[in-house]
Amino acid sequence: SQQGEEDPQALSIQEGENATMNCSYKTSINNLQWYRQNSGRGLVHLILIRSNEREKHSGRLRVTLDTSKKSSSLLITASRAADTASYFCATDKGAQKLVFGQGTRLTINP
Amino acid sequence: GAGVSQSPSNKVTEKGKDVELRCDPISGHTALYWYRQSLGQGLEFLIYFQGNSAPDKSGLPSDRFSAERTGGSVSTLTIQRTQQEDSAVYLCASSLADVSPGRFFSYEQYFGPGTRLTVT
């Protein structure tokens, strides 16, 4: 069953703009992770945020977590063409696996 | 250091044939995961290994699918009597894991490049 659901399903912006993607989930979690996937192959881990954390930064990435609303957001600032990819959130419920959402397809236009 | 590797990178097989997919995890990673991704879809969890044990096989789509892991390292995913609906990219990932009785705490997963399986 789907735990994380990303919103929007697709996002197209101009280079230099900020991109925000959201993830909602249904049950309590240990942590939530964001991954990027280029060209439908291997995923790259971006950020892990634990349930007792509210915000984390990594370079141009900012992730927030609101456990009361069961939601997370990924913000990419000053977007670049190389940021074009699919972005997935994944939740760890302590059930020995990550459950991935369907992803947001981000396109950065030059 | 070396990342997760998978072989083959592409596999085309005829319906009804058996296929074996291989995953070499990052050295020292005790947890290993198999996922399947169909065209334009999210990742579907298949199976998870902690060491050589697979506590959760509930994601395997049918009894035609099986997986094993030996020596706490290499894992193989076997699909018997392949069907066209088995066509997908099969992704393997490994991670550190903090496991204690009744508890599992995951760390970031490192993914291999995947095996694209096409059943004709």
Side-chain angles (χ1 to χ4, degrees):
Chain A
S1 62
Q2 211 67 33
Q3 166 73 325
E5 293 187 4
E6 286 91 342
D7 168 55
Q9 292 186 339
L11 178 62
S12 181
I13 61 173
Q14 295 300 118
E15 194 168 17
E17 294 180 340
N18 296 342
T20 299
M21 289 160 274
N22 302 297
C23 170
S24 60
Y25 57 92
K26 295 182 175 65
T27 61
S28 62
I29 59 173
N30 288 341
N31 65 62
L32 184 144
Q33 305 180 31
W34 284 91
Y35 289 81
R36 183 184 72 220
Q37 185 179 39
N38 293 87
S39 305
R41 298 304 287 259
L43 280 76
V44 174
H45 180 266
L46 298 176
I47 288 184
L48 180 154
I49 186 166
R50 304 201 186 283
S51 60
N52 61 353
E53 298 176 311
R54 292 296 168 259
E55 187 171 310
K56 284 190 86 169
H57 297 254
S58 177
R60 295 183 295 112
L61 306 181
R62 172 177 167 249
V63 167
T64 62
L65 178 65
D66 187 334
T67 53
S68 66
K69 295 181 180 179
K70 292 186 172 57
S71 67
S72 174
S73 67
L74 170 66
L75 169 67
I76 304 174
T77 60
S79 62
R80 305 168 182 168
D83 295 330
T84 293
S86 292
Y87 291 81
F88 295 88
C89 70
T91 51
D92 165 20
K93 299 185 293 179
Q96 301 177 339
K97 63 187 180 186
L98 289 180
V99 180
F100 285 79
Q102 293 286 72
T104 292
R105 175 68 190 169
L106 175 65
T107 302
I108 308 299
N109 301 305
Chain B
V4 178
S5 61
Q6 293 185 246
S7 61
S9 56
N10 286 284
K11 176 72 176 178
V12 180
T13 189
E14 291 180 353
K15 178 181 172 181
K17 301 285 189 183
D18 297 351
V19 296
E20 194 170 276
L21 312 180
R22 177 187 168 106
C23 172
D24 280 89
I26 292 173
S27 178
H29 280 189
T30 57
L32 185 147
Y33 309 80
W34 283 99
Y35 297 89
R36 178 170 73 174
Q37 187 176 32
S38 301
L39 185 63
Q41 298 297 309
L43 275 74
E44 174 188 10
F45 168 81
L46 297 179
I47 191 169
Y48 148 76
F49 286 92
Q50 175 59 29
N52 294 333
S53 301
D56 187 355
K57 302 180 182 179
S58 63
L60 295 177
S62 74
D63 58 8
R64 296 186 294 105
F65 287 72
S66 62
E68 65 175 13
R69 188 180 186 195
T70 55
S73 181
V74 172
S75 176
T76 54
L77 176 69
T78 301
I79 309 173
Q80 296 178 310
R81 305 180 302 281
T82 52
Q83 304 294 313
Q84 288 186 332
E85 61 262 29
D86 299 334
S87 296
V89 175
Y90 289 81
L91 292 160
C92 173
S94 70
S95 76
L96 298 171
D98 176 11
V99 180
S100 55
R103 182 179 178 277
F104 175 84
F105 190 90
S106 68
Y107 295 80
E108 51 266 35
Q109 296 188 9
Y110 294 83
F111 281 79
T115 294
R116 185 178 299 278
L117 174 66
T118 303
V119 181
T120 61

